[in-house]
Amino acid sequence: MTDVTRAIEAATSVAVSLDLLVEDAVVLHNSNKLALRLTPCDVVARVAPVGQEVARFEVDLAQRLADAGSPAGRSEPRAGAQVYTRDGFAVTLWTYYEPVTPHLAPVDYARALEQLHAGMRTVDLPSPRFTDRVTEAEEIVADPERSPELADADRAFLGGRLARLRRAIADRGAAEQLVHGEPHPGNVLGTEDGPLFIDLETCCRGPVEFDLAHVPEAVCAHYPGVDHGLLDECRQLVLAMVAAWRWDAGDQFPDGRQFGEELLRVLREGPPWPTLDTVIGRPDEP
């Protein structure tokens, strides 16, 4: 039995124990955490091995953001804001939102992110700093066993770039607060209730520009008070971090190695630093 099959069975078992009707489980996303849509009860289950998840943090944060009226996904009310364990997996259940629009207008995206940040400023919850996420990327790059396909020259280049950008951003002394950590278009849904941000496990403390480095350029244009010098450095840092994750031996991102090569090429080309969505959308180059 594969880990995915076991994870699906664990999520199904939890849902059924709560009297939720489950006839099928559709995989929505599978990387460090498995996301499933359970039907016909229409619940999203997020499943990860116990000890490798931040489920309690994510559930607690979602509850506090709900109390603050922030535009973030909610725990499934029929399940409560709980973390369930089955067969070595941590399972959390979330409200399923039917998307009503495939693309958000940049101004709506920016306003929702601004509202999310405002709500996050009211939350007092121990959380990692953005530099902790940089450290995770540096550890992948530094360890040939974790990134065996990364060439030595690329390893030295990427490790040096991550370290330099960490220092440069920290030295700016910009105001920091709780931020989403990865508010890219894949983590914001256009719903009947307006834009909602999901996948809160990446939340950390840092400048709002760290979040803005993940969103399209047109969205940044509508966000007030942006420090564009800091945004430029954060964009470069995000490109370097994502490049590191794509070289992780356990990475399951589709065409991850090809994407990793493209990100290294972009980092070597120098400014202007593109947004992630434009890098992903680039045609293959020889």
Side-chain angles (χ1 to χ4, degrees):
M1 184 182 297
T2 67
D3 287 345
V4 171
T5 301
R6 289 177 50 240
I8 291 173
E9 291 189 353
T12 300
S13 172
V14 168
V16 170
S17 73
L18 297 168
D19 295 325
L20 299 174
L21 181 60
V22 181
E23 295 177 353
D24 194 17
V26 179
V27 176
L28 301 175
H29 184 68
N30 181 20
S31 56
N32 62 316
K33 179 177 287 188
L34 182 68
L36 307 165
R37 180 185 178 186
L38 306 179
T39 59
C41 62
D42 254 353
V43 170
V44 173
R46 290 166 62 78
V47 192
V50 171
Q52 296 182 27
E53 89 296 335
V54 289
R56 184 74 262 167
F57 169 77
E58 188 174 18
V59 166
D60 289 346
L61 178 56
Q63 186 61 51
R64 299 189 191 201
L65 290 175
D67 293 342
S70 294
R74 308 289 197 256
S75 295
E76 168 55 47
R78 291 170 290 179
Q82 301 293 328
V83 180
Y84 302 89
T85 57
R86 290 287 192 286
D87 190 24
F89 292 99
V91 180
T92 52
L93 300 179
W94 302 83
T95 299
Y96 174 76
Y97 299 95
E98 188 71 44
V100 297
T101 176
H103 301 290
L104 290 172
V107 64
D108 295 333
Y109 196 146
R111 286 174 181 168
L113 186 56
E114 186 182 4
Q115 292 168 6
L116 181 71
H117 287 158
M120 285 180 160
R121 285 194 289 273
T122 71
V123 173
D124 182 17
L125 189 67
S127 55
R129 192 168 176 240
F130 80 98
T131 50
D132 295 329
R133 303 199 67 211
V134 181
T135 297
E136 293 172 3
E138 289 177 316
E139 289 173 348
I140 293 170
V141 173
D143 186 352
E145 291 189 3
R146 294 188 62 183
S147 50
E149 296 182 34
L150 186 61
D152 290 344
D154 292 335
R155 191 181 306 280
F157 167 77
L158 191 53
R161 186 64 60 94
L162 285 164
R164 182 177 67 77
L165 288 165
R166 173 210 285 269
R167 290 192 300 270
I169 293 171
D171 288 348
R172 282 180 173 269
E176 296 185 3
Q177 66 156 81
L178 190 63
V179 295
H180 183 284
E182 288 187 9
H184 55 68
N187 279 337
V188 58
L189 305 177
T191 76
E192 292 181 349
D193 299 323
L196 293 177
F197 290 90
I198 60 172
D199 199 357
L200 301 174
E201 68 172 345
T202 56
C203 290
C204 56
R205 297 196 65 81
V208 295
E209 285 80 4
F210 183 74
D211 265 3
L212 292 169
H214 290 80
V215 307
E217 179 65 48
V219 175
C220 296
H222 294 283
Y223 194 101
V226 178
D227 181 331
H228 289 280
L230 177 56
L231 175 59
D232 219 35
E233 289 179 335
C234 286
R235 275 190 182 146
Q236 189 182 170
L237 176 63
V238 167
L239 292 171
M241 290 169 61
V242 175
W245 297 330
R246 297 293 75 84
W247 289 101
D248 188 342
D251 183 54
Q252 298 185 41
F253 190 88
D255 300 319
R257 294 296 182 273
Q258 181 180 351
F259 191 24
E261 292 279 9
E262 174 66 8
L263 286 165
L264 286 172
R265 181 160 52 248
V266 166
L267 286 166
R268 283 195 165 96
E269 286 176 356
W273 306 109
T275 55
L276 273 175
D277 61 304
T278 59
V279 177
I280 294 172
R282 286 186 179 189
D284 292 342
E285 297 178 9

